[in-house]
Amino acid sequence: MQAGTTASKTLLEVQDLRIVYQQKDTFPATDQTVHAVNGVSFSIRQGESFAIVGRSGCGKTSIAMSALGFVKPSAGTISFMGKNIWQLDRKELRRLRPLIQPVFQDYGNSLNPRMTVNKIITEALLAQPNDQTQLDAVIQLLDSVGLDSEIRWRFPHQLSGGQKQRINIARALALNPKLLILDEPVSSQDLSAGVQLIELLNRLKQTYELSYLLISHNLSIVRLLSDRIAIMKDGVFIERGPAETLLQHPSDNYTKELIDASNLTNLS
Ligand SMILES: Nc1ncnc2c1ncn2[C@@H]1O[C@H](COP(=O)(O)OP(=O)(O)O)[C@@H](O)[C@H]1O
Ligand SMILES: [Mg+2]
């Protein structure tokens, strides 16, 4: 992490977050309560990358959805730049909402298939006053995610998985965010594109002083991209710490199993 005053500023603060879903099934008629998140607290400073790691179903995406304002917490608070995001007035919402941007797992589906790349990114550039500055901005955004400007005339189905994910990132950057929420950003099928994507994300973090909330089940990806890691199981954090310390000295068996499953090398 970089030194300096801005680096130590707390950006996101989550306190005792709880998320409960009421699941109604019609046949057989049941009313189930799912305690997805059971009292989770953490904070992320500006320029920092914090990862939540755990097996499928442990509650990771629920935390992300809540921080993005999509799933209301059952209890606890989520503050962004000192404001409780679930108690914002309209003006604050308009100011703060663009500053937290998601980069979702199903990147293919989050791009409108009927729009060109140019249109997809331009839609996010609401603040840009005219066509020429918009075009310049699109080209610059594509460049910052390592894509050639010609790609802007393509449609999503004409892009590879890695290119689509870069377009997603470019669209998020168009809003000048401070925090990116990356939910399983790297597909496990395509690891060589994955490594390049991780390098890109690390570079963007430096350039734009971004913070990341990274969610993954794969510790070899998390290791390359995060400063601190929390291990999540059944809705709670069971251990946490600086990335390398935690990976080299895991105390819980569940963490050890996750490390084994991720095929980490060079751990002493
Ligand atoms: N909208 C929902 N309604 C009911 N249950 C849900 C909903 N979303 C998630 N869940 C449940 O909450 C738990 C945590 O899910 P999730 O946050 O998606 O975990 P993860 O991202 O770690 O796989 C799971 O048991 C899941 O089935
Ligand atoms: Mg998930």
Side-chain angles (χ1 to χ4, degrees), residues 186-214:
V186 178
S187 126
S188 43
Q189 284 92 36
D190 192 359
L191 268 180
S192 68
V195 171
Q196 287 174 10
L197 196 67
I198 289 167
E199 283 167 2
L200 171 69
L201 287 167
N202 274 325
R203 202 163 58 238
L204 293 172
K205 182 168 166 261
Q206 292 283 329
T207 310
Y208 298 102
E209 266 207 308
L210 294 170
S211 304
Y212 292 159
L213 172 57
L214 171 65

Side-chain angles (χ1 to χ4, degrees), residues 103-105 107 144-147 160-170 173 180 182-188 190-205 210 212 214 221 224-225:
V103 175
F104 283 139
Q105 183 172 19
Y107 43 79
S144 69
V145 297
L147 292 174
S160 72
Q163 287 169 332
K164 282 183 204 166
Q165 188 61 306
R166 282 163 196 258
I167 300 296
N168 261 320
I169 295 168
L173 292 176
L180 290 193
L182 305 155
D183 193 341
E184 305 278 0
V186 178
S187 126
S188 43
D190 192 359
L191 268 180
S192 68
V195 171
Q196 287 174 10
L197 196 67
I198 289 167
E199 283 167 2
L200 171 69
L201 287 167
N202 274 325
R203 202 163 58 238
L204 293 172
K205 182 168 166 261
L210 294 170
Y212 292 159
L214 171 65
I221 289 160
L224 297 170
L225 208 50

Side-chain angles (χ1 to χ4, degrees), residues 27-69:
F27 188 82
T30 49
D31 207 348
Q32 247 192 344
T33 307
V34 182
H35 293 267
V37 180
N38 259 324
V40 158
S41 303
F42 63 94
S43 60
I44 304 179
R45 292 186 295 270
Q46 189 164 340
E48 189 184 34
S49 176
F50 179 76
I52 302 175
V53 183
R55 295 228 173 90
S56 178
C58 71
K60 305 182 297 295
T61 296
S62 298
I63 296 175
M65 288 301 183
S66 210
L68 286 162

Side-chain angles (χ1 to χ4, degrees), residues 38-263:
N38 259 324
V40 158
S41 303
F42 63 94
S43 60
I44 304 179
R45 292 186 295 270
Q46 189 164 340
E48 189 184 34
S49 176
F50 179 76
I52 302 175
V53 183
R55 295 228 173 90
S56 178
C58 71
K60 305 182 297 295
T61 296
S62 298
I63 296 175
M65 288 301 183
S66 210
L68 286 162
F70 298 146
V71 171
K72 195 173 191 322
S74 314
T77 55
I78 303 176
S79 304
F80 182 71
M81 296 174 78
K83 306 265 185 192
N84 183 334
I85 65 158
W86 284 93
Q87 287 174 0
L88 296 177
D89 61 35
R90 220 186 252 186
K91 199 172 141 211
E92 287 171 329
L93 192 66
R94 213 176 305 133
R95 184 173 68 90
L96 294 180
R97 182 63 196 82
L99 304 181
I100 310 179
Q101 286 298 314
V103 175
F104 283 139
Q105 183 172 19
D106 60 340
Y107 43 79
N109 298 332
S110 60
L111 301 176
N112 186 332
R114 285 183 295 273
M115 288 187 187
T116 60
V117 166
N118 191 62
K119 178 103 173 116
I120 288 167
I121 297 178
T122 307
E123 286 231 316
L125 286 166
L126 294 174
Q128 302 291 339
N130 65 51
D131 288 355
Q132 188 54 47
T133 46
Q134 275 184 354
L135 193 64
D136 292 346
V138 171
I139 291 171
Q140 203 223 314
L141 282 164
L142 289 172
D143 183 58
S144 69
V145 297
L147 292 174
D148 192 273
S149 62
E150 281 309 304
I151 213 168
R152 70 191 188 282
W153 305 120
R154 292 204 203 159
F155 288 90
H157 75 271
Q158 298 168 315
L159 305 170
S160 72
Q163 287 169 332
K164 282 183 204 166
Q165 188 61 306
R166 282 163 196 258
I167 300 296
N168 261 320
I169 295 168
R171 178 175 58 178
L173 292 176
L175 291 148
N176 281 321
K178 289 188 180 294
L179 176 69
L180 290 193
I181 298 190
L182 305 155
D183 193 341
E184 305 278 0
V186 178
S187 126
S188 43
Q189 284 92 36
D190 192 359
L191 268 180
S192 68
V195 171
Q196 287 174 10
L197 196 67
I198 289 167
E199 283 167 2
L200 171 69
L201 287 167
N202 274 325
R203 202 163 58 238
L204 293 172
K205 182 168 166 261
Q206 292 283 329
T207 310
Y208 298 102
E209 266 207 308
L210 294 170
S211 304
Y212 292 159
L213 172 57
L214 171 65
I215 285 169
S216 180
H217 65 282
N218 188 333
L219 277 165
S220 54
I221 289 160
V222 165
R223 184 190 193 189
L224 297 170
L225 208 50
S226 56
D227 303 307
R228 287 186 297 129
I229 300 176
I231 305 291
M232 189 168 187
K233 185 185 179 189
D234 299 336
V236 294
F237 290 169
I238 54 164
E239 77 177 299
R240 62 169 87 195
E244 280 306 306
T245 315
L246 187 122
L247 294 175
Q248 299 202 16
H249 308 286
S251 56
D252 199 283
N253 272 335
Y254 176 78
T255 309
K256 289 176 191 162
E257 284 165 25
L258 287 172
I259 290 173
D260 289 343
S262 302
N263 279 323

